[in-house]
């Protein structure tokens, strides 16, 4: 992820439609400071940052909010850089990106979350390498996207196995870089989330561990301060549609998969498998959510992965919580 000093406004990216795994991962990459906007932009439109497969992808695929501007990002850290640049109003990330963003002094509020999704991220290895537990990766190269949800999973796995970051060789790779490195045996393990996780579940690939019992892996809805303070009615209306579409998808899993597969540009069976474990209801932010995020933050500070102090609890804004109840 580029340093904050290198952020720049987002620009359009063209994504080549491709059904193969390698082509998908090669084409979804966008810069950490921008995405691919689907419209020309308007001062009257809410600007929404989304990631492939996250709950907002379904909102976009169903055309449920025609009066917003969409920008695609490969990862949460890229999306939070766009918040810093002032180029989006609302975005959706995993649990670690808000921590790194707050440490980088990026202004935002946390206005919504989801039920836990621990099975939606995992450590993948090649089955023929003989790894039987995460502890077997001591001294090995482990790749992940820096500052993303899987970064917290790595921290938790290390602690659970009485290991530290010094016990492994960490290689920070974006998803589009991680898959070819994993396929080419340039790394020993890849810590990744859906749908990249589901795409990589090929013969010969083993799930060494997921986040069950270790990390909640919730989704978080972030909003720019101006959107929260000056456009609260618009934000509330958008969140209401987001909630309605999410609930519809959970109630209609087959239609959800058939709707999302073309949007994701991946096979429907892969989409269905990923959604079965990773699509969860939205939820309101609460003091307990603030405590959960603060615990993650304090752990990253203790590991000197971010500078402290950072107060994540103060970023939690429950003014829209009634929408998610």
């Amino acid at each position: 992820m580029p340093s904050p000093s290198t952020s720049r406004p987002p620009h359009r990216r063209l994504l080549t439609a491709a059904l193969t795994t390698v082509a998908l991962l090669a084409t979804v990459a966008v810069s950490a400071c921008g995405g691919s906007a689907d419209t020309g932009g308007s001062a009257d439109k809410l600007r929404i940052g989304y990631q492939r497969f996250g709950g907002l992808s379904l909102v976009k695929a169903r055309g449920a909010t025609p009066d917003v501007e969409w920008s695609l990002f490969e990862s949460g850290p890229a999306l939070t850089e766009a918040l810093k640049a002032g180029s989006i109003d609302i975005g959706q990330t995993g649990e670690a990106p808000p921590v790194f963003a707050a440490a980088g002094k990026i202004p935002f509020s946390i206005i919504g979350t989801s039920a836990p999704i621990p099975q939606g991220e995992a450590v993948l290895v090649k089955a023929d390498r003989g790894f039987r537990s995460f502890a077997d990766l001591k001294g090995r190269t482990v790749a992940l996207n820096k500052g993303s949800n899987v970064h917290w999973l790595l921290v938790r796995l290390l602690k659970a196995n009485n290991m530290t970051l010094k016990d492994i060789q960490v290689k920070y790779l974006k998803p589009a870089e991680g898959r070819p490195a994993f396929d080419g045996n340039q790394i020993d393990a890849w810590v990744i989330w859906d749908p990249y996780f589901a795409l990589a579940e090929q013969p010969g690939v083993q799930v060494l561990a997921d986040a069950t019992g270790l990390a909640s892996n919730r989704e978080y809805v972030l909003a720019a301060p101006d959107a929260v303070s000056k456009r609260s009615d618009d934000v509330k209306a958008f969140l209401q549609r987001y909630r309605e579409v999410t609930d519809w998808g959970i109630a209609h899993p087959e239609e959800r998969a058939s709707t999302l597969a073309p949007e994701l540009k991946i096979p429907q069976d892969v989409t269905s498998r990923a959604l079965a474990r990773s699509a969860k209801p939205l939820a309101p932010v609460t003091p307990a959510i603030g405590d959960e995020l603060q615990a993650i933050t304090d752990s990253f500070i203790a590991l000197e992965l971010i500078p402290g102090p950072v107060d994540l609890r103060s970023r939690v804004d429950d003014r829209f919580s009634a929408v998610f109840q």
Side-chain angles (χ1 to χ4, degrees):
M1 180 177 72
S3 65
S5 63
T6 60
S7 62
R8 60 185 186 278
H11 57 280
R12 295 179 180 269
R13 304 272 186 176
L14 294 178
L15 295 173
T16 303
L19 294 178
T20 65
T21 298
V22 174
L24 169 68
L25 293 175
T27 58
V28 298
V30 293
S31 78
C33 305
S36 59
D38 289 347
T39 69
S42 167
D44 296 329
K45 292 185 175 183
L46 278 178
R47 301 163 301 166
I48 310 300
Y50 75 108
Q51 300 179 61
R52 287 199 181 278
F53 188 73
L56 290 177
S57 282
L58 185 60
V59 178
K60 179 179 180 295
R62 281 179 60 82
T65 54
D67 295 327
V68 305
E69 176 183 325
W70 295 94
S71 292
L72 174 65
F73 298 88
E74 186 187 21
S75 66
L79 188 148
T80 59
E81 284 295 314
L83 275 171
K84 179 183 179 181
S87 55
I88 60 173
D89 300 307
I90 296 173
Q92 174 195 52
T93 76
E95 55 202 353
V99 173
F100 280 77
K105 312 300 183 184
I106 296 175
F108 65 89
S109 296
I110 303 167
I111 61 173
T113 185
S114 74
I117 316 169
Q119 290 91 4
E121 58 180 357
V123 181
L124 304 182
V125 297
K126 295 292 183 64
D128 61 6
R129 301 295 297 275
F131 302 123
R132 295 293 176 262
S133 70
F134 185 83
D136 292 337
L137 294 176
K138 189 171 184 177
R140 302 289 187 164
T141 301
V142 179
L144 68 149
N145 192 93
K146 184 177 183 179
S148 65
N149 56 336
V150 292
H151 207 150
W152 176 234
L153 174 57
L154 176 66
V155 169
R156 295 290 291 152
L157 280 165
L158 288 169
K159 183 176 181 180
N161 288 274
N162 297 313
M163 297 165 65
T164 71
L165 286 168
K166 294 180 180 179
D167 289 319
I168 59 173
Q169 300 177 46
V170 178
K171 192 168 186 177
Y172 293 123
L173 298 175
K174 297 177 182 179
E177 302 165 331
R179 179 60 189 275
F182 181 67
D183 288 346
N185 294 319
Q186 299 168 24
I187 56 178
D188 296 297
W190 188 28
V191 196
I192 192 60
W193 63 89
D194 276 322
Y196 305 103
F197 170 16
L199 281 163
E201 287 183 288
Q202 303 293 327
V205 173
Q206 174 188 350
V207 177
L208 197 63
D210 63 22
T212 300
L214 296 170
S216 294
N217 189 34
R218 301 178 191 271
E219 293 183 350
Y220 285 94
V221 183
L222 312 183
D226 281 353
V228 170
S229 62
K230 299 177 182 179
R231 303 192 62 182
S232 64
D233 288 346
D234 292 337
V235 172
K236 182 178 180 180
F238 176 80
L239 294 177
Q240 183 63 46
R241 293 297 294 139
Y242 182 15
R243 163 73 186 275
E244 292 168 358
V245 170
T246 299
D247 290 348
W248 171 87
I250 291 170
H252 302 85
E254 292 184 6
E255 293 177 61
R256 177 182 61 188
S258 64
T259 300
L260 264 181
E263 173 71 23
L264 300 176
K265 299 180 176 63
I266 62 177
Q268 187 167 328
D269 62 329
V270 176
T271 303
S272 294
R273 183 169 70 251
L275 286 168
R277 64 189 173 215
S278 290
K280 301 294 182 181
L282 294 171
V285 290
T286 63
I289 293 296
D291 292 343
E292 187 174 308
L293 282 168
Q294 191 63 51
I296 296 171
T297 303
D298 294 344
S299 293
F300 279 124
I301 292 172
L303 291 169
E304 299 183 346
L305 292 171
I306 60 171
V310 178
D311 182 5
L312 250 289
R313 290 187 183 92
S314 66
R315 302 295 188 110
V316 173
D317 187 332
D318 66 358
R319 74 183 70 188
F320 303 106
S321 288
V323 174
F324 301 125
Q325 292 173 337

